[in-house]
Amino acid sequence: MPPYSSQQKQQITQFINFTQAKDTVAAKFLRAARWNVEEAVDAYFQSPQGTGGANTSSLGKIFDSYRDDPQDNPDGIGIDGAMKYLGDIHVQLDEITCLGIAELLKSPSMGEFTRENFLAGWRAVGCDTLDKMIAYANSLRTRIPTEPDLFRRIYRYTFPLCRMQGQRNLQFEIASEQWTLFFTADNGGVQWDTPTTPWLEWWIAFLEERGRKPVNKDLWEQLEVFMRKTREDERFGWWSADGAWPGALDDFVAWVQEKRG
């Protein structure tokens, strides 16, 4: 029996209960087959109708082939397996597409995949073979720099993904590395620098002057919004000191204005 989430199970159970209450053909079939609701739910998720267009059995086999420790961790792929898997779907570790795959599959941390989220993620986009996954990764590569909503979703998911276990904030060194990835075009990001301002270089230099402090979630998320604003108007025509920006960005604006003279 393939794994499924409690939410999925609840939704299908409600549907089956509804059909039974309405005495439909489906309800008669269930009674004739002597199935109870639990068995019907299991059967649903074993069928093509329950997989969002992707074959659950095929996905399960793919997942199993990359497990590092089938005995002690049968429902997890660790770092070694994840690296091999990403290589097989032609995704480099130093490109944003790698983080896009992690967001799709809801990786609990860098270099880890769980069975439930692996199957649910690929089912959602209808991919049940390595070739389809390669094609989806290529699609992500094209879409991430050009679709702000997709970019933002992946960018925001990166904060908890890269955060050290047990910590609320992101270490400065890790944040700096990820900003360099997201805010340059070399590996699939969006180029932050504008004709007259090296924004990324100045931002990191500004934070280094402030003592390389850990980055909280609000600052992480608002910097992406700030980046897009400065790309539209690098002279701060949109800026207001009364806006609800993090204090670090308020100070950065003053820092930039002073640096420009």
Side-chain angles (χ1 to χ4, degrees):
M1 181 185 71
Y4 48 84
S5 69
S6 58
Q7 182 180 10
Q8 289 173 317
K9 179 176 176 180
Q10 182 181 18
Q11 290 172 341
I12 303 307
T13 301
Q14 289 173 347
F15 169 74
I16 294 174
N17 283 333
F18 173 80
T19 62
Q20 289 176 324
K22 294 297 183 181
D23 198 31
T24 61
V25 172
K28 293 177 181 178
F29 174 76
L30 291 176
R31 286 198 297 271
R34 295 184 179 178
W35 283 0
N36 60 28
V37 171
E38 183 79 13
E39 291 168 340
V41 172
D42 293 346
Y44 177 86
F45 281 100
Q46 289 173 343
S47 69
Q49 294 94 322
T51 63
N55 187 289
T56 300
S57 177
S58 296
L59 283 170
K61 291 177 181 178
I62 292 173
F63 183 90
D64 289 345
S65 69
Y66 291 99
R67 292 178 299 175
D68 296 338
D69 194 343
Q71 295 298 322
D72 293 339
N73 189 19
D75 295 320
I77 293 175
I79 292 178
D80 291 340
M83 290 180 64
K84 184 177 187 306
Y85 170 68
L86 291 169
D88 287 349
I89 63 171
H90 303 173
V91 171
Q92 302 297 317
L93 299 179
D94 60 351
E95 63 172 327
I96 295 182
T97 301
C98 181
L99 296 168
I101 296 296
E103 189 275 333
L104 173 71
L105 305 183
K106 297 296 179 284
S107 299
S109 62
M110 289 294 290
E112 289 186 58
F113 299 116
T114 65
R115 181 184 298 276
E116 180 178 353
N117 291 338
F118 185 95
L119 269 61
W122 286 124
R123 280 199 307 250
V125 295
C127 295
D128 54 12
T129 67
L130 289 180
D131 285 342
K132 291 179 181 179
M133 295 169 186
I134 291 170
Y136 184 82
N138 286 332
S139 172
L140 273 182
R141 231 171 248 116
T142 302
R143 293 167 52 212
I144 289 171
T146 60
E147 296 184 15
D149 289 344
L150 175 63
F151 182 97
R152 179 168 295 172
R153 191 172 75 236
I154 295 170
Y155 174 82
R156 292 189 172 187
Y157 190 80
T158 299
F159 182 86
L161 184 69
C162 293
R163 190 172 49 192
M164 299 292 286
Q165 187 174 5
Q167 295 188 1
R168 296 182 60 185
N169 298 329
L170 197 59
Q171 290 184 334
F172 172 81
E173 292 76 12
I174 296 175
S176 177
E177 290 176 1
Q178 296 305 319
W179 282 327
T180 301
L181 179 64
F182 275 100
F183 298 149
T184 59
D186 295 341
N187 293 303
V190 172
Q191 190 70 34
W192 188 6
D193 290 353
T194 53
T196 64
T197 308
W199 288 103
L200 180 62
E201 178 186 337
W202 281 9
W203 170 245
I204 292 176
F206 165 76
L207 292 181
E208 287 178 338
E209 288 183 13
R210 289 166 61 96
R212 303 165 67 93
K213 299 176 183 177
V215 177
N216 64 36
K217 182 180 179 181
D218 184 44
L219 179 58
W220 175 266
E221 293 185 351
Q222 290 303 309
L223 182 66
E224 186 265 343
V225 179
F226 183 89
M227 177 271 293
R228 295 193 182 278
K229 290 286 190 181
T230 53
R231 277 168 49 88
E232 294 171 1
D233 176 10
E234 59 182 330
R235 307 309 301 182
F236 297 122
W238 47 272
W239 180 261
S240 170
D242 297 328
W245 296 96
L249 287 176
D250 286 326
D251 294 343
F252 180 58
V253 171
W255 188 89
V256 170
Q257 290 173 331
E258 182 179 355
K259 194 174 183 66
R260 286 173 171 170

